[in-house]
Amino acid sequence: MPRTYKKPFGSRPYANFSKETLEKAVLEIQKNNVSIRDAAQKYSLCPSTVSRHLKKEGGEKRVYGGQTVLSRQDEQTLVEGLLLAAEWGMPFQRSDLKSIVKGFLDDQARKENRFKDNTPGDDWCTFFLKRHTNLSNRLSENIKRSRAAVSKETICSYFENMKKSVKDVKPELIINYDETNLTDDPGRTKVIVRRGAKHAERILDSTKTSTSAMFAGTASGILLPPFVVYKSRFLYDTWTTGGPQHTVYGCSKSGWFDNDLFEKWFFKVALPHFKKHDPEDCQAPKILIGDNLASHLSMRVIQTCQEYNIRFVFLPPNSTHLCQPLDVAFFRPLKIKWRKVLLEYKAKFSGTVPKHLFPGLLKKTVERLDNAAVSLRSGFRTTGIYPLNPQQVLRKLPEARKETETGAEKSWSNAFVNVLKDARFGKSPDVAPARKKRILTEPGGVVTTEDLPQQIPVNSSSTVAKRTKKYKDDPMNEPAKKKKRNKDQQTTVSNAGPSKNKEKVKITMIKMF
């Protein structure tokens, strides 16, 4: 029997009615002054059922069938705790949910026969999530504590400055730029294999190599030409053909952007776009939004921005997952299309994608972005940049609990929030890590407490002198004596007679190891 099976009306001796029928009977009693017995007889209902729903005393109505282990109030409290933990970036897993319920039952001194050792099973978790539709079981995205530590004050200050920057600026003159990498790995997908197979293997060449590309888009939904950077000392003509229209190419030793490449992108991609949409005198206000990387900052670029009335705006540190439109709404669909295009290529050819074929694959990826304009506009709207709306970002940050709780409930909520704050923001250790010191002992010998080095102050002026004296007294750290000893041992072995050769070699090996 499927778990979603519901018995049809008439197949059970109790509750053989629909909710609409019961509501009609109650409504007729209230409006037409019909007696409970007559209304129940008219709609084929039980008089006690009609009377119980008519009174509406505010008590918890008992549902038909098996009852839940936790009451409605307990389950609602549990749901609020789960949502609070997720809001502070510390969501629980199913195993954590089981442990919480077990702890609650043990604390109440209850023995639940439907659970094993008061621990819920997988079925209980599944139906618990079904009962509460505001909960869902999803894959988590790990973010660093530095990103989670972005405060409400930082975001408010950012939007105060952004309010002045975006004033009287057209959406086609608001550009957000960011670089990303397109890897040579199409990722993992679900495949059909024999049941019970230990490994679902797929023959497909993939590497960790990647190619950097700078993308930029406007608040009106215009996608600017990409800028591709190869990891190479030289750039060849075959690497620059077959790509998206007006794509610019470059190279660097690391494969990432530096100041020279960023200047090249600005003067060949961003500045021509501004001139195209502001052809009169190029003095209309414009905005260029990006992260605060050192490679994205150039004196020549800033001087040109002042000349053309371009406002260079940096995002708050560690906040690109909240405030950068490309990160929020554009890069995910781009990476999905890239993996599909790469998988089609890998299914036909082996090895790493050659650089002369990369532009063609990038062109297919960009052409398959049917809703690129919609994604860009959605990114600017979600990040609160255009139209300007700080609440789009502030509502994603955890807030303090509203002052609606009293007594013990408020104490428990405050304690819970304080624990989540410590877990979210974290604390750095106050004590500096001790400097590692080498243990000086004979090879093959046993380490004793006398072999351990003395504690040497890090800031002591005589640190170098003490170490020099220690190494001077220790024959194991004297290169000249060590070389001389090894030379003498080799000479002894070579000059020894045949009968004494084995003993000399044995002695030498013991000394060395």
Side-chain angles (χ1 to χ4, degrees):
M1 179 182 296
R3 295 181 178 179
T4 57
Y5 175 79
K6 293 184 179 181
K7 292 184 178 181
F9 297 122
S11 61
R12 59 185 180 183
Y14 61 92
N16 189 18
F17 55 86
S18 63
K19 185 178 179 180
E20 292 76 12
T21 304
L22 182 59
E23 291 177 353
K24 289 180 180 180
V26 173
L27 186 63
E28 186 168 350
I29 294 173
Q30 293 175 344
K31 289 187 175 182
N32 301 333
N33 293 326
V34 180
S35 64
I36 296 177
R37 186 174 295 277
D38 294 340
Q41 186 177 3
K42 179 179 178 180
Y43 291 97
S44 301
L45 299 172
C46 179
S48 59
T49 301
V50 178
S51 176
R52 187 167 56 252
H53 284 76
L54 185 63
K55 291 180 181 179
K56 290 184 179 181
E57 298 176 352
E60 181 178 312
K61 293 183 175 61
R62 182 183 176 93
V63 296
Y64 294 98
Q67 304 301 306
T68 58
V69 175
L70 304 178
S71 63
R72 292 186 182 180
Q73 183 178 358
D74 292 336
E75 285 200 354
Q76 187 60 33
T77 304
L78 179 59
V79 169
E80 292 177 358
L82 294 174
L83 293 177
L84 180 62
E87 182 182 356
W88 282 90
M90 306 296 294
F92 294 120
Q93 304 178 18
R94 282 200 173 202
S95 57
D96 301 326
L97 177 60
K98 296 177 184 180
S99 301
I100 292 174
V101 176
K102 173 180 170 54
F104 175 79
L105 295 177
D106 293 343
D107 187 63
Q108 297 289 325
R110 290 175 52 183
K111 175 63 177 177
E112 181 55 51
N113 296 327
R114 286 172 284 182
F115 294 162
K116 184 178 180 180
D117 297 332
N118 275 357
T119 303
D122 293 333
D123 287 344
W124 182 89
C125 294
T126 300
F127 286 111
F128 175 79
L129 296 176
K130 280 187 176 181
R131 287 194 297 271
H132 303 281
T133 56
N134 56 342
L135 297 177
S136 63
N137 194 19
R138 298 177 55 185
L139 288 175
S140 62
E141 300 179 8
N142 299 329
I143 63 172
K144 296 181 179 180
R145 293 186 186 272
S146 57
R147 289 180 176 268
V150 177
S151 62
K152 182 179 179 181
E153 292 75 15
T154 303
I155 299 300
C156 290
S157 176
Y158 158 71
F159 275 104
E160 285 294 329
N161 298 326
M162 181 63 71
K163 184 178 180 180
K164 304 174 184 178
S165 301
V166 299
K167 186 178 180 180
D168 302 330
V169 181
K170 298 179 181 179
E172 59 270 15
L173 297 179
I174 303 177
I175 294 180
N176 173 230
Y177 65 90
D178 192 21
E179 57 181 300
T180 186
N181 62 325
L182 300 175
T183 60
D184 189 53
D185 186 3
R188 301 170 60 185
T189 57
K190 290 186 178 181
V191 294
I192 301 174
V193 296
R194 178 176 56 84
R195 183 181 294 276
K198 190 173 182 179
H199 299 287
E201 297 178 346
R202 179 179 61 174
I203 300 176
L204 196 71
D205 292 338
S206 62
T207 62
K208 295 183 179 181
T209 59
S210 59
T211 303
S212 302
M214 176 82 81
F215 287 89
T218 66
S220 61
I222 301 175
L223 180 63
L224 276 64
F227 188 108
V228 179
V229 177
Y230 295 110
K231 185 178 181 180
S232 174
R233 294 181 60 186
F234 307 101
L235 185 65
Y236 299 91
D237 56 348
T238 55
W239 300 355
T240 63
T241 57
Q245 191 175 9
H246 305 302
T247 302
V248 186
Y249 300 89
C251 64
S252 66
K253 186 177 180 180
S254 63
W256 291 98
F257 275 79
D258 52 24
N259 291 341
D260 296 335
L261 290 174
F262 181 73
E263 288 183 3
K264 186 176 179 181
W265 170 84
F266 176 81
F267 288 104
K268 290 192 175 183
V269 178
L271 189 59
H273 173 82
F274 285 138
K275 291 180 178 180
K276 179 181 177 181
H277 291 82
D278 186 21
E280 296 180 0
D281 55 356
C282 292
Q283 292 302 316
K286 313 168 192 65
I287 294 183
L288 193 62
I289 304 174
D291 48 24
N292 56 349
L293 286 179
S295 60
H296 295 171
L297 186 62
S298 170
M299 182 61 66
R300 185 184 174 195
V301 172
I302 294 178
Q303 292 175 354
T304 308
C305 288
Q306 294 176 352
E307 180 182 352
Y308 288 93
N309 196 13
I310 302 173
R311 301 165 184 174
F312 209 134
V313 178
F314 277 163
L315 298 173
N318 304 311
S319 67
T320 54
H321 64 294
L322 298 173
C323 303
Q324 181 132 264
L326 293 179
D327 278 350
V328 172
F330 181 76
F331 281 150
R332 184 175 184 274
L334 175 71
K335 297 294 182 67
I336 292 175
K337 297 297 182 183
W338 166 254
R339 292 190 186 101
K340 291 182 179 180
V341 172
L342 185 62
L343 182 60
E344 295 175 0
Y345 171 84
K346 295 284 186 179
K348 299 178 182 179
F349 306 100
S350 61
T352 308
V353 177
K355 290 183 174 63
H356 69 276
L357 295 180
F358 179 82
L361 299 181
L362 180 60
K363 182 179 180 180
K364 288 184 180 180
T365 303
V366 175
E367 288 176 350
R368 294 186 183 183
L369 286 173
D370 301 329
N371 299 323
V374 177
S375 299
L376 289 173
R377 289 194 293 268
S378 176
F380 279 90
R381 182 177 62 255
T382 305
T383 54
I385 297 176
Y386 189 87
L388 189 67
N389 185 7
Q391 293 300 323
Q392 292 283 356
V393 179
L394 292 175
R395 67 185 182 184
K396 298 178 184 178
L397 301 177
E399 299 179 355
R401 305 294 289 175
K402 297 180 179 179
E403 298 295 333
T404 57
E405 301 173 341
T406 57
E409 294 181 355
K410 183 177 180 180
S411 300
W412 278 109
S413 297
N414 292 337
F416 200 56
V417 169
N418 291 334
V419 172
L420 291 176
K421 280 184 179 180
D422 294 338
R424 180 181 178 89
F425 300 115
K427 295 180 179 179
S428 58
D430 297 333
V431 181
R435 179 177 296 178
K436 295 186 293 185
K437 297 179 176 59
R438 183 179 174 185
I439 299 177
L440 306 176
T441 182
E442 290 283 346
V446 179
V447 180
T448 61
T449 55
E450 289 76 9
D451 299 323
L452 297 179
Q454 299 294 328
Q455 294 293 333
I456 303 175
V458 176
N459 297 326
S460 177
S461 59
S462 60
T463 300
V464 178
K466 290 182 179 179
R467 289 181 180 173
T468 305
K469 182 179 179 181
K470 182 184 295 184
Y471 293 154
K472 184 177 180 180
D473 297 337
D474 185 9
M476 294 299 297
N477 290 280
E478 249 187 293
K481 291 185 178 181
K482 187 174 182 181
K483 290 182 179 179
K484 185 177 180 181
R485 182 175 64 252
N486 293 338
K487 185 177 180 180
D488 294 340
Q489 291 171 352
Q490 292 175 1
T491 305
T492 304
V493 172
S494 61
N495 296 333
S499 59
K500 300 181 180 179
N501 225 1
K502 294 183 180 180
E503 296 181 1
K504 301 254 183 211
V505 171
K506 185 176 180 181
I507 294 173
T508 304
M509 296 297 292
I510 292 176
K511 289 183 178 180
M512 292 181 65
F513 299 98

